[in-house]
Amino acid sequence: MDMSSAPPVHTVSAFYKLLLIEWAVLLGVSAIVYLIARFWKSEGEGFLREFGIEPRSRQSSGSPYYLAPSEAKARRLAVWSLGLLWILDGLLQAQPELGTNFFGAVIQPVMSGQPRWVNDLFLSVTQLLFTSRPLWFDSLTVWIQILLGVGILAGPERFIGRLALRGSITWSLVVWAFGEGFGQIFSGGSWLMGSPGSVLVYAALAVVLLAKADAWEHGQVKHGMQWFVTVWFLASAILQALPSAGYWSGNGLADMEVGMAQMPQPHFLSAPLYALAHALSHGPMGWNAVFVAVPLVLAVGWFTAPESRAVQVATGVVLLLVWWLGQDFGVVGGAGTDPNTALPLFLLTLAHNFLPRDGSSPWTRLWRSAPRAAAH
């Protein structure tokens, strides 16, 4: 994408003035809501009795979201990961390049190569909104994401935290369809560059955090994470192997790597990308075979032995290398809307690794359930 021309100064100024005004309004509304909540907590029951209404007695039982320390550490990591990721996305959305040219910098490149129905039904809607009222809609996106992140940091034990988590799932699906073009899975997306989309990992983390304590303690959350990572890596291998993606020949991957390297960034960040692009331009078939094999091996590892230290370390190393060399940390260049897919997926697998071990895997659980199914 062309980053050579800076947006007009007066447009950037108008964008940040709008953000400042909206911040003041949000701060005022938040203060009012907080004062009302404090008043209701201390005086609400007496207020209801003044009108002859007997308030319902509060439940004395513990919260269904209370976790034992063995699982609480993993959930706390997931809460902070998801909350800070959404806040970071909101702050990135406030960059001048996005506030004044979101369609040209983000949506237009995503539209390239998409099926007609994706552009007509989804991305064209985003084009209409962000070209008709670019400052307003971009600032709205900023605050939605920041508020979701702040709400999630309250934790699933609180109502506001659960509300933010449910809202984040909805918003993730909106962004995936209308902002990421379904993670570019219909236009030759590569897992190295972020397909099938970082917000799907955000949604998975939100689903995990909405699980009640029983699901954490009985291993259902951990098993769900294992299935998610297994399917994710398997889908990544399939996307990379599709002949229609065009990675078995030509310079498809090399061109994308050069495009990232040309983003405004320090030389020490761009130099490794140029070196990798040069390597990818020689023998694309061999390189693509490697990029198909790596997620396939990881999928097998997560299916058969997700608690193996070798699988966990290999996953972390691969994801961090991909985040660096394949995704340029997601935020470099002034037009990144999020840190891309590898980082949130790494954080999800890290939360999984903090959970107590039970010695099982998707493979062993399927094997054990097969005789019972046959008996019935």
Side-chain angles (χ1 to χ4, degrees):
M1 64 191 72
D2 184 11
M3 300 284 296
S4 58
S5 57
V9 175
H10 67 277
T11 306
V12 174
S13 175
F15 175 58
Y16 285 112
K17 284 180 181 177
L18 180 60
L19 284 176
L20 185 62
I21 293 170
E22 291 169 339
W23 164 245
V25 171
L26 283 171
L27 195 62
V29 171
S30 299
I32 293 170
V33 171
Y34 174 76
L35 292 174
I36 292 174
R38 287 294 300 269
F39 168 79
W40 190 259
K41 186 175 181 179
S42 60
E43 308 293 338
E45 292 185 2
F47 185 77
L48 289 174
R49 289 192 179 99
E50 288 290 332
F51 288 90
I53 301 173
E54 188 65 28
R56 291 181 295 178
S57 59
R58 295 180 180 177
Q59 297 291 333
S60 58
S61 58
S63 168
Y65 292 92
Y66 174 79
L67 281 181
S70 55
E71 289 87 13
K73 186 176 182 180
R75 190 175 69 180
R76 196 178 307 117
L77 173 61
V79 166
W80 279 95
S81 297
L82 185 59
L84 293 178
L85 282 170
W86 274 122
I87 292 173
L88 175 61
D89 289 2
L91 295 176
L92 289 173
Q93 196 73 35
Q95 296 175 99
E97 179 69 21
L98 298 181
T100 57
N101 187 32
F102 180 78
F103 172 71
V106 177
I107 302 302
Q108 203 165 31
V110 172
M111 294 179 76
S112 176
Q114 293 281 6
R116 183 173 178 178
W117 64 271
V118 174
N119 284 334
D120 290 348
L121 296 179
F122 297 95
L123 296 178
S124 62
V125 176
T126 309
Q127 176 184 2
L128 176 64
L129 296 177
F130 280 86
T131 53
S132 61
R133 295 289 187 275
L135 302 188
W136 193 88
F137 278 105
D138 194 75
S139 63
L140 177 65
T141 304
V142 169
W143 293 118
I144 286 175
Q145 297 181 155
I146 289 178
L147 291 175
L148 285 175
V150 171
I152 289 169
L153 291 179
E157 305 94 335
R158 296 180 176 86
F159 170 77
I160 188 66
R162 295 192 296 275
L163 182 64
L165 286 167
R166 294 187 178 100
S168 75
I169 294 173
T170 302
W171 183 248
S172 294
L173 297 177
V174 169
V175 172
W176 190 54
F178 292 90
E180 295 185 351
F182 299 98
Q184 296 185 306
I185 60 176
F186 301 113
S187 59
S190 168
W191 70 283
L192 298 169
M193 308 300 171
S195 291
S198 59
V199 287
L200 290 184
V201 185
Y202 290 23
L205 279 168
V207 170
V208 163
L209 291 173
L210 283 170
K212 295 183 179 179
D214 287 346
W216 286 85
E217 292 164 1
H218 296 157
Q220 295 168 353
V221 167
K222 183 174 186 176
H223 301 159
M225 288 179 170
Q226 292 170 357
W227 273 111
F228 179 82
V229 178
T230 298
V231 172
W232 185 278
F233 281 126
L234 181 60
S236 298
I238 292 172
L239 284 174
Q240 194 72 33
L242 289 175
S244 58
Y247 299 135
W248 292 104
S249 60
N251 292 325
L253 286 175
D255 290 344
M256 287 191 285
E257 197 74 18
V258 169
M260 283 192 301
Q262 290 175 342
M263 288 285 190
Q265 58 188 302
H267 176 72
F268 73 90
L269 289 178
S270 62
L273 303 184
Y274 279 118
L276 180 58
H278 178 74
L280 291 174
S281 64
H282 295 80
M285 180 174 290
W287 279 106
N288 201 57
V290 172
F291 296 145
V292 171
V294 168
L296 191 59
V297 169
L298 291 177
V300 172
W302 277 86
F303 183 65
T304 58
E307 293 184 340
S308 163
R309 287 299 180 196
V311 171
Q312 293 174 355
V313 170
T315 300
V317 170
V318 167
L319 289 176
L320 292 178
L321 281 175
V322 168
W323 189 43
W324 171 31
L325 297 174
Q327 299 169 8
D328 202 13
F329 304 110
V331 300
V332 175
T337 58
D338 59 68
N340 216 317
T341 305
L343 178 62
L345 189 59
F346 170 78
L347 293 171
L348 185 146
T349 60
L350 191 61
H352 166 275
N353 299 343
F354 275 103
L355 289 170
R357 294 166 171 259
D358 59 12
S360 70
S361 68
W363 164 249
T364 56
R365 291 191 298 274
L366 283 177
W367 182 258
R368 290 169 188 166
S369 65
R372 290 199 296 268
H376 288 292

